[in-house]
Amino acid sequence: MSNILDTKSIDLSAMRHSCSHVLAQAVLQMFPDAKLGIGPTIDNGFYYDFELPRTLIPEDLPLIEKRMSHIVKQNQRFVSKNEPTAKSITFLKKINQPYKVDLAQELKKTGEKEISFYENVMQDGKVVFVDMCKGPHISSTSEIGPFKLTHLAAAYWRGDEKNAQLQRIYGTCFATREELEAHLKNLEEAKRRDHRKLGKELDLFTFSDLVGPGLPLWMPNGAVIAEELETLAKEEEFRAGYVRVRTPHLTKGELYEKSGHLKHYKASMYPPMKIDNEEYYVKPMNCPHHHMIYSARPKSYRDLPLRLAEYGTCYRFEDSGALFGLMRVRSLQMNDAHIYCTEEQFEEEFLAVVRMYLKYFEIFGITQYVMRLSLHDPSGLGEKYVDEPELWKKTENMVKKAIQHAKVPVVEVLDEAAFYGPKIDVEVWSAIGREFTLATNQVDFAVPKRMGLTYVNKDGQEKAPLVIHRAPLGTHERFIGFLIEHFGGAFPVWLAPVQIRIVPVSDQFASFAEELRLKFFDAGLRVEVDSAAESVSKKIRNAEMMKIPYMLVVGEREQKEDTLTVRNYATKTQDVFTFDAFLGKVMKEVKGRVLS
Amino acid sequence: MSNILDTKSIDLSAMRHSCSHVLAQAVLQMFPDAKLGIGPTIDNGFYYDFELPRTLIPEDLPLIEKRMSHIVKQNQRFVSKNEPTAKSITFLKKINQPYKVDLAQELKKTGEKEISFYENVMQDGKVVFVDMCKGPHISSTSEIGPFKLTHLAAAYWRGDEKNAQLQRIYGTCFATREELEAHLKNLEEAKRRDHRKLGKELDLFTFSDLVGPGLPLWMPNGAVIAEELETLAKEEEFRAGYVRVRTPHLTKGELYEKSGHLKHYKASMYPPMKIDNEEYYVKPMNCPHHHMIYSARPKSYRDLPLRLAEYGTCYRFEDSGALFGLMRVRSLQMNDAHIYCTEEQFEEEFLAVVRMYLKYFEIFGITQYVMRLSLHDPSGLGEKYVDEPELWKKTENMVKKAIQHAKVPVVEVLDEAAFYGPKIDVEVWSAIGREFTLATNQVDFAVPKRMGLTYVNKDGQEKAPLVIHRAPLGTHERFIGFLIEHFGGAFPVWLAPVQIRIVPVSDQFASFAEELRLKFFDAGLRVEVDSAAESVSKKIRNAEMMKIPYMLVVGEREQKEDTLTVRNYATKTQDVFTFDAFLGKVMKEVKGRVLS
């Protein structure tokens, strides 16, 4: 855990920020007329936007890097300086930096009296570069660690396509050469593992212009993974005492008026279908539907905790610019459930949910994770958050206490709660160190009350239950997107779309291959024979391209001796088994959901 | 089979029609001012609508029946008579029958020259009753078999709520006393088995005014059944070489423009969601989405047959007046699949689908069924049906031939095909003889072509595949509705929402009961302990009300002797087992999907 959080520490950030100033200085050396945009730090690096007399090409980057190295060696000091706003604007105009003028005038409007600058000062005291900047910076360019410019991109000034288009240069910078190299290697690996690229190569999912953006269609190979994840979730949820429900994907708007979602959530929803003087919506979440199931029959304390689970598909109208492969979509098939419980039951239920998270992490080999506890900001009460200051306090304390007992890594953030209560996002890191927000866990003290959900307690009084919203496997879309990268497309046997591929060395062994296939198939395995009119070596390459866990090349020896020569994709080894021994091994791996 | 089709024969229908005239005559005897509406035959009976000086009560029915019996004994002859239209209208006005005048004027408008009447003539030649009627009738009232008036209802004249409200009397009539009694017993049984009544009593599903009409929400008990049906379908489909896909419930309208559904199907669809200059629809069927998966990658003859399966939920905006429990709904979770094949593969694929139907019928104990082959009507070409006369002919012949080879009972009907090809509806009869249309099987030669679906055949040419649309388990909604009636709510163990209920005779045995529960639960069974503060006899009655297959009443003897006293709901017997023997028995029944 700790080393990952460390890389976000302020020192690295200051160093990267200083590196972006060095980049800007280098670009100004090459193009004295360059106009500077902004140059912030980002995860693992920095960028800077420029207006330049010509379009940069990748070959420019090493030349810029060379100039940057030179600046680093000059050991320039970073010196902070505040100037009155009006004077600053005059200065920025003078040095012909219109974008900086734009920023300064913005600050003037908000009433800023002074503007902060950082100068780069040579050892002899000469100022060679100055940028409008709040800092912080490191003290001298010589403290900058190993860096690399990674790629170019286009960017609009202030992200608005009505503004001028600038050229963006991305770079990365680390404290040590080893870290930089590991990062660059991870970047390469991330490209190879890109879920959009592998999704296509492995035939997992597709998009259709006729169906619409952000609405993935799961091909047979991808549907296998979704199916296996659902089976896992259903098994675990059955064991944990959940019951399942099924609810329609549509509802009248009235339901969301009553739940309060229309007020707080409408911007993220598909627009209504209007018919018979009613407005119908596709559901952006399952909770109000589940609440209708809860309230369909009177409840007593004996009925609680009630855990209603559904792999419900929800629809959210994400901005088309925000859509990204499976990671940002408009259809979300969620591993959803709502736990209705009393206050006394809350902690136990919450901890059981955390245990379920941990079990899944183990199954998928996720070793790095953190819980991000989002709390409300009292200034948003009545607007962004339901106006119940006392209940917010009480519930947040209850959640904090429960998390402490769960003994899992946690960070707290303000003003990111759900409108009805505190939210716990679970962030995980993939095998190559990329961060994903996978699962959510929310505590809702407001909507159940609002919708009139009750139970009769031991003393015969009507009370509103608490509701825990939880989705440990998140959505199929995002979780499978994560798994593709995490496993680099080489899924463990139980998840692999095709578990075994049989390659007969010639047509002569086609019927033997088919016999074998049927034996595996009858055991419930996903197995296929490659009977294409291609060479054996081509077929072997194809099976490897598809990252199929086990490949059996079968010919005379296999047929005569009743043995199997098995190529293992994960270990890159080849072993000889009897049929029964191999089937036993595979079945054990599948049933045990063993990681390869 | 045959006896069921026989009950629809024309003789019975004529007899029932005559019986409705006898009913009208009897009502006129009681209320000489009665105005007659219409009096057709219906499945298993007849009705007649009247405008009467007072509202009828159920106690009136035996009095009317008595008069009817008297009329039957009078052996009145039915005599047909045609009169010129104008003269008929004058006559109907004279006898003060305004609704009949209305009907006659309607006929006049359509250019009818003559109107047909039937008179009831006494043995002495006296005419005692006359009704405007096309017939046919039996020759005399004495031929009327045993009859019974069953119930009252309100009805608008011509079914239009802007018209006058009339009173409707329903009756039934059979050739023999035995048939009438069997039918009345079935009616009683059907009331007891009504899926809406049992759905509520057994907590299977619910509707919510806030969610909307025709959109059932599956409660935990009902979701168990849906889940088990899906598991069954997935197992069978895996064995039959299907692969699964998953597609969104939404699509841009463009997809349906291309598929032709918007033209042929729009009236049954929810209206569009309009956003970003696009119209999105919730899908009324899965096929166009599956076609997009088919066409996402190039296909060769080696890829066929390709069988894409999905338990997809579709939405159809049925008229609110047509909605009926689970049997007529707006959300349809379908056991859907599309088989893409060549013409040569068609028959084998079709027969495999029929085999799957037969297997399901066996599993559910469905012994009576018929395939209803819907063909196109050439006069609808270009309108209701795609304008491909030759392909219609060819495909219909292909289907007829395949059905012959399947050796299943079949009836042919004209002008009920899908717009893209012939359709086979599978009609089944429940255990109490009620008919349900469960499953469909359609052959599509038009849409694949229209959407540009192709495969490359052995000669390197591009061809369009045939598509078989099939849904052997229909929709969850309708199939579970059927099963509720078919099993009268007493589901076989594998389908039962709760398989075992444990009733401790006192609190003293609560922990023993819980121990037992865990042992069954660990084996994957759905088991619960009734720990309510009620008497044992009340708990036994409750378990019986819920039709739970096995009930274990546990007390001192069970705890000491390690035996179980098991009450079997289906057989109404009580047996003693060791734990292992009972668990073994139940697991065998569950795994074998044994009928109780």
Side-chain angles (χ1 to χ4, degrees):
Chain A
M1 235 14 268
S2 57
N3 63 326
I4 278 166
L5 291 180
D6 277 356
T7 60
K8 284 180 170 177
S9 70
I10 189 70
D11 288 338
L12 250 188
S13 173
M15 184 179 79
R16 285 172 182 149
H17 190 48
S18 297
C19 204
S20 82
H21 279 217
V22 171
L23 165 61
Q25 193 185 152
V27 169
L28 272 174
Q29 287 177 5
M30 275 176 75
F31 304 99
D33 290 339
K35 309 283 177 281
L36 308 181
I38 54 165
T41 61
I42 50 172
D43 264 8
N44 289 320
F46 57 89
Y47 65 78
Y48 214 113
D49 292 341
F50 304 95
E51 187 188 305
L52 298 176
R54 70 161 170 88
T55 304
L56 293 176
I57 53 172
E59 287 71 19
D60 288 317
L61 297 182
L63 302 175
I64 301 171
E65 279 173 358
K66 215 168 162 184
R67 286 177 190 271
M68 288 173 70
S69 297
H70 189 67
I71 294 166
V72 166
K73 280 188 201 133
Q74 287 175 331
N75 198 10
Q76 303 175 357
R77 280 177 300 125
F78 286 91
V79 179
S80 157
K81 194 172 88 173
N82 284 355
E83 295 283 356
T85 304
K87 192 181 158 196
S88 301
I89 291 173
T90 310
F91 167 72
L92 292 166
K93 279 183 180 165
K94 208 187 85 191
I95 63 168
N96 201 12
Q97 288 296 351
Y99 300 109
K100 300 287 175 183
V101 172
D102 192 24
L103 292 176
Q105 273 165 343
E106 198 66 30
L107 289 171
K108 190 180 161 191
K109 269 188 216 154
T110 63
E112 291 287 335
K113 297 269 181 293
E114 288 197 324
I115 285 180
S116 159
F117 289 86
Y118 269 87
E119 291 179 341
N120 279 33
V121 184
M122 296 286 277
Q123 292 298 318
D124 63 5
K126 192 175 160 199
V127 175
V128 288
F129 177 76
V130 60
D131 200 354
M132 178 183 159
C133 173
K134 275 197 175 159
H137 279 278
I138 51 181
S139 56
S140 155
T141 58
S142 63
E143 291 168 22
I144 289 176
F147 64 88
K148 178 144 185 76
L149 299 182
T150 53
H151 59 293
L152 297 163
Y156 293 102
W157 173 240
R158 303 195 135 191
D160 185 342
E161 61 182 34
K162 278 177 246 141
N163 291 337
Q165 203 184 47
L166 306 180
Q167 298 188 61
R168 177 171 294 176
I169 302 175
Y170 281 97
T172 185
C173 177
F174 281 85
T176 66
R177 173 74 39 199
E178 293 69 34
E179 282 169 312
L180 175 66
E181 270 162 17
H183 174 70
L184 293 176
K185 211 176 132 196
N186 272 349
L187 274 190
E188 274 309 300
E189 190 61 25
K191 258 189 224 165
R192 286 206 310 115
R193 291 178 180 227
D194 186 306
H195 79 278
R196 293 164 304 170
K197 178 175 160 282
L198 283 174
K200 199 165 180 174
E201 286 169 11
L202 305 179
D203 250 355
L204 300 176
F205 60 92
T206 188
F207 287 93
S208 153
D209 287 342
L210 293 175
V211 172
L215 298 169
L217 292 92
W218 293 101
M219 309 278 279
N221 281 351
V224 162
I225 301 173
E227 207 65 49
E228 289 291 349
L229 292 178
E230 272 196 34
T231 304
L232 167 65
K234 286 176 181 175
E235 278 178 28
E236 291 301 323
E237 283 161 5
F238 180 79
R239 267 186 219 136
Y242 290 66
V243 289
R244 308 201 74 77
V245 296
R246 293 181 180 224
T247 62
H249 302 90
L250 305 186
T251 177
K252 283 195 208 167
E254 278 176 56
L255 180 67
Y256 294 142
E257 261 156 40
K258 193 158 180 194
S259 69
H261 282 92
L262 266 191
K263 183 179 163 198
H264 294 278
Y265 217 84
K266 194 163 182 175
S268 313
M269 288 164 63
Y270 274 82
M273 293 165 264
K274 295 179 189 178
I275 193 164
D276 282 3
N277 294 321
E278 288 288 351
E279 298 199 335
Y280 285 89
Y281 287 91
V282 289
K283 63 179 173 187
M285 72 276 298
N286 299 304
C287 25
H289 279 87
H290 289 188
H291 297 343
M292 296 323 288
I293 286 186
Y294 179 94
S295 62
R297 303 278 179 272
K299 295 278 181 295
S300 94
Y301 68 95
R302 285 180 180 280
D303 297 312
L304 304 187
L306 178 67
R307 308 177 193 91
L308 300 183
E310 176 174 31
Y311 245 108
T313 306
C314 299
Y315 291 89
R316 296 181 188 168
F317 199 77
E318 298 281 349
D319 194 68
S320 66
L323 299 175
F324 177 71
L326 291 176
M327 301 313 285
R328 198 94 189 188
V329 286
R330 290 178 174 169
S331 64
L332 307 101
Q333 195 169 8
M334 275 196 238
N335 173 220
D336 213 354
H338 295 94
I339 302 172
Y340 301 80
C341 63
T342 67
E343 269 178 41
E344 296 71 42
Q345 292 165 338
F346 170 77
E347 185 165 313
E348 197 179 319
E349 290 303 313
F350 181 86
L351 292 177
V353 170
V354 172
R355 279 196 297 276
M356 195 179 269
Y357 280 114
L358 299 182
K359 174 138 192 210
Y360 288 143
F361 292 164
E362 200 185 321
I363 289 174
F364 295 105
I366 296 169
T367 53
Q368 297 190 312
Y369 53 87
V370 67
M371 302 224 172
R372 188 181 157 86
L373 170 58
S374 295
L375 305 169
H376 83 299
D377 178 338
S379 73
L381 286 172
E383 286 292 321
K384 198 170 162 190
Y385 304 116
V386 291
D387 198 6
E388 300 264 18
E390 285 312 307
L391 278 175
W392 273 107
K393 225 165 158 183
K394 183 171 152 193
T395 316
E396 289 182 352
N397 284 335
M398 199 167 69
V399 174
K400 283 182 197 175
K401 206 179 105 208
I403 288 191
Q404 262 176 21
H405 293 165
K407 294 184 183 134
V408 284
V410 62
V411 291
E412 286 185 16
V413 282
L414 264 188
D415 202 22
E416 290 188 11
F419 76 85
Y420 44 62
K423 188 174 84 171
I424 299 119
D425 288 323
V426 181
E427 296 184 349
V428 301
W429 278 261
S430 76
I432 59 166
R434 188 142 53 155
E435 185 181 335
F436 292 85
T437 300
L438 267 198
T440 356
N441 192 348
Q442 303 173 356
V443 187
D444 183 350
F445 59 79
V447 178
K449 227 182 191 174
R450 198 187 153 102
M451 294 193 73
L453 306 189
T454 57
Y455 68 94
V456 176
N457 74 5
K458 279 187 185 169
D459 305 325
Q461 294 164 317
E462 284 215 332
K463 303 274 264 175
L466 276 174
V467 172
I468 301 175
H469 307 237
R470 43 107 279 172
L473 295 180
T475 65
H476 279 327
E477 290 76 15
R478 183 174 279 250
F479 194 60
I480 295 179
F482 165 80
L483 290 181
I484 292 171
E485 171 170 315
H486 186 60
F487 293 124
F491 296 100
V493 186
W494 71 277
L495 273 180
V498 176
Q499 295 165 321
I500 301 170
R501 186 179 280 178
I502 303 172
V503 176
V505 297
S506 74
D507 279 356
Q508 206 188 322
F509 303 100
S511 65
F512 174 60
E514 179 59 18
E515 261 171 53
L516 269 179
R517 188 189 72 81
L518 277 176
K519 280 159 81 180
F520 289 117
F521 180 74
D522 287 345
L525 293 171
R526 299 183 290 269
V527 50
E528 56 187 32
V529 173
D530 186 348
S531 55
E534 281 165 344
S535 70
V536 172
S537 58
K538 179 79 195 302
K539 288 181 188 182
I540 291 176
R541 275 202 307 283
N542 285 345
E544 277 168 357
M545 279 258 302
M546 294 302 281
K547 303 172 194 286
I548 295 168
Y550 295 113
M551 182 181 5
L552 317 181
V553 180
V554 298
E556 195 157 1
R557 188 179 128 192
E558 283 73 21
Q559 188 167 15
K560 269 198 183 148
E561 298 180 8
D562 196 23
T563 58
L564 299 173
T565 310
V566 179
R567 287 165 189 247
N568 183 321
Y569 181 84
T571 60
K572 308 289 175 208
T573 55
Q574 185 165 315
D575 290 295
V576 176
F577 291 88
T578 64
F579 175 85
D580 287 340
F582 178 61
L583 179 64
K585 166 186 159 69
V586 178
M587 292 308 285
K588 202 171 147 192
E589 288 168 352
V590 168
K591 293 219 163 108
R593 296 195 174 99
V594 173
L595 285 167
S596 308
Chain B
M1 237 12 271
S2 57
N3 62 328
I4 280 167
L5 292 179
D6 276 358
T7 60
K8 285 180 166 175
S9 69
I10 188 69
D11 288 337
L12 250 186
S13 173
M15 185 180 80
R16 284 172 182 150
H17 190 49
S18 296
C19 202
S20 81
H21 279 218
V22 171
L23 165 61
Q25 193 185 151
V27 169
L28 273 173
Q29 287 177 6
M30 275 177 76
F31 303 100
D33 290 339
K35 309 285 177 279
L36 307 181
I38 54 163
T41 61
I42 50 170
D43 263 8
N44 289 320
F46 57 87
Y47 65 79
Y48 215 113
D49 292 342
F50 304 95
E51 185 187 306
L52 298 176
R54 70 161 171 88
T55 303
L56 294 175
I57 53 172
E59 288 71 19
D60 288 317
L61 297 182
L63 303 175
I64 301 172
E65 279 173 357
K66 213 166 165 186
R67 285 176 190 270
M68 288 173 70
S69 296
H70 189 68
I71 295 166
V72 166
K73 279 189 203 130
Q74 286 177 331
N75 198 10
Q76 302 175 356
R77 278 177 302 124
F78 286 91
V79 179
S80 155
K81 195 173 86 171
N82 284 357
E83 296 283 356
T85 304
K87 192 182 160 195
S88 300
I89 291 174
T90 311
F91 166 71
L92 291 166
K93 281 183 179 165
K94 206 187 88 193
I95 63 168
N96 200 13
Q97 287 297 348
Y99 299 108
K100 300 285 177 184
V101 172
D102 192 24
L103 293 176
Q105 274 166 343
E106 197 66 29
L107 290 173
K108 190 181 161 191
K109 267 188 218 156
T110 63
E112 291 285 334
K113 297 269 180 298
E114 288 197 323
I115 285 179
S116 160
F117 289 85
Y118 269 86
E119 291 179 344
N120 279 32
V121 184
M122 298 286 278
Q123 291 298 316
D124 62 5
K126 191 177 160 196
V127 174
V128 288
F129 177 76
V130 61
D131 200 355
M132 181 182 155
C133 173
K134 273 197 175 162
H137 280 277
I138 51 180
S139 55
S140 156
T141 57
S142 64
E143 291 168 21
I144 288 176
F147 64 88
K148 176 139 188 82
L149 300 183
T150 53
H151 59 292
L152 297 163
Y156 292 103
W157 173 240
R158 300 194 138 190
D160 184 342
E161 61 182 33
K162 279 176 244 143
N163 291 337
Q165 204 186 46
L166 306 179
Q167 299 188 61
R168 179 172 292 177
I169 302 174
Y170 280 96
T172 185
C173 177
F174 282 84
T176 66
R177 174 73 40 199
E178 292 71 38
E179 282 169 313
L180 175 65
E181 271 162 14
H183 174 69
L184 293 175
K185 211 177 132 196
N186 273 349
L187 274 190
E188 273 310 300
E189 190 60 26
K191 259 190 225 164
R192 286 205 311 115
R193 293 180 179 225
D194 186 306
H195 80 277
R196 293 163 306 170
K197 178 175 163 279
L198 283 175
K200 196 164 183 174
E201 287 170 9
L202 305 179
D203 249 354
L204 300 177
F205 61 91
T206 188
F207 288 92
S208 153
D209 286 342
L210 293 176
V211 172
L215 297 169
L217 291 91
W218 293 100
M219 310 276 280
N221 281 352
V224 163
I225 301 173
E227 208 65 48
E228 289 291 349
L229 293 178
E230 272 196 33
T231 304
L232 167 66
K234 285 175 182 176
E235 279 178 27
E236 291 301 324
E237 284 161 4
F238 180 79
R239 266 186 219 136
Y242 289 66
V243 289
R244 308 201 74 78
V245 295
R246 292 181 179 226
T247 62
H249 302 90
L250 305 185
T251 177
K252 284 195 209 167
E254 277 175 56
L255 180 66
Y256 295 142
E257 260 155 41
K258 193 158 178 195
S259 69
H261 283 92
L262 266 191
K263 181 180 165 195
H264 294 278
Y265 218 84
K266 195 163 182 175
S268 313
M269 287 163 65
Y270 275 83
M273 294 164 262
K274 293 178 190 178
I275 193 164
D276 282 1
N277 293 319
E278 288 289 351
E279 298 199 334
Y280 285 90
Y281 287 91
V282 289
K283 64 180 173 185
M285 70 277 297
N286 300 304
C287 26
H289 280 86
H290 289 188
H291 296 344
M292 296 323 288
I293 285 186
Y294 179 93
S295 61
R297 304 279 180 271
K299 295 277 181 294
S300 93
Y301 67 95
R302 285 180 180 279
D303 298 311
L304 304 188
L306 178 67
R307 309 177 193 92
L308 300 183
E310 176 174 31
Y311 244 108
T313 307
C314 299
Y315 291 89
R316 296 181 188 167
F317 199 78
E318 297 281 348
D319 195 68
S320 65
L323 299 176
F324 177 71
L326 292 176
M327 301 313 284
R328 198 95 189 185
V329 286
R330 289 179 176 169
S331 64
L332 306 103
Q333 195 170 6
M334 273 196 238
N335 172 221
D336 213 355
H338 295 94
I339 302 172
Y340 300 80
C341 63
T342 67
E343 268 177 40
E344 296 71 42
Q345 292 165 339
F346 170 78
E347 185 165 315
E348 197 179 319
E349 290 303 312
F350 181 87
L351 293 177
V353 170
V354 172
R355 280 196 298 275
M356 194 179 269
Y357 279 113
L358 298 182
K359 175 140 191 209
Y360 288 143
F361 292 165
E362 201 185 321
I363 289 174
F364 295 105
I366 296 169
T367 53
Q368 296 188 313
Y369 53 86
V370 68
M371 303 224 170
R372 187 180 157 87
L373 170 59
S374 296
L375 305 169
H376 83 299
D377 179 338
S379 74
L381 285 173
E383 286 293 320
K384 199 169 162 189
Y385 305 114
V386 289
D387 198 7
E388 300 264 16
E390 284 313 306
L391 278 174
W392 274 106
K393 225 166 159 180
K394 184 172 150 192
T395 316
E396 289 182 351
N397 284 334
M398 201 168 67
V399 173
K400 285 182 194 173
K401 206 180 104 207
I403 289 191
Q404 263 176 22
H405 292 166
K407 293 182 185 139
V408 285
V410 61
V411 289
E412 286 184 18
V413 282
L414 263 189
D415 203 20
E416 291 189 11
F419 76 84
Y420 43 63
K423 188 174 82 171
I424 300 119
D425 289 324
V426 181
E427 297 185 347
V428 302
W429 279 262
S430 76
I432 58 167
R434 191 147 48 158
E435 184 181 335
F436 292 85
T437 300
L438 267 198
T440 358
N441 192 349
Q442 302 173 356
V443 187
D444 183 350
F445 59 78
V447 179
K449 229 182 190 175
R450 200 187 152 104
M451 294 193 72
L453 307 188
T454 58
Y455 68 94
V456 176
N457 74 5
K458 280 187 189 172
D459 306 325
Q461 294 164 318
E462 285 215 330
K463 303 273 263 174
L466 277 174
V467 173
I468 301 175
H469 307 237
R470 42 107 281 172
L473 295 179
T475 65
H476 279 328
E477 291 76 15
R478 184 174 277 249
F479 195 59
I480 295 179
F482 165 81
L483 289 180
I484 293 171
E485 171 169 317
H486 186 59
F487 293 124
F491 295 99
V493 186
W494 70 278
L495 273 181
V498 176
Q499 295 164 321
I500 301 170
R501 186 178 280 179
I502 303 172
V503 176
V505 296
S506 74
D507 278 356
Q508 205 187 323
F509 303 99
S511 65
F512 174 60
E514 179 59 17
E515 260 172 53
L516 268 180
R517 189 190 71 82
L518 277 176
K519 281 159 81 179
F520 289 117
F521 180 74
D522 287 345
L525 293 172
R526 299 182 290 268
V527 51
E528 56 187 32
V529 173
D530 186 347
S531 55
E534 281 166 343
S535 70
V536 171
S537 59
K538 179 81 196 302
K539 288 182 188 182
I540 291 175
R541 274 200 309 281
N542 285 345
E544 278 169 357
M545 279 258 300
M546 294 302 281
K547 302 172 194 288
I548 294 168
Y550 294 113
M551 183 183 359
L552 316 182
V553 180
V554 297
E556 195 157 1
R557 186 177 130 194
E558 283 72 21
Q559 188 166 18
K560 270 200 182 146
E561 299 181 9
D562 196 23
T563 58
L564 299 173
T565 310
V566 179
R567 286 164 190 249
N568 183 320
Y569 181 85
T571 60
K572 308 288 175 211
T573 55
Q574 186 164 312
D575 289 295
V576 176
F577 291 89
T578 63
F579 175 84
D580 287 341
F582 178 62
L583 179 64
K585 167 186 157 72
V586 177
M587 293 307 285
K588 203 170 147 193
E589 288 169 351
V590 168
K591 294 222 163 106
R593 297 194 174 99
V594 174
L595 286 166
S596 308

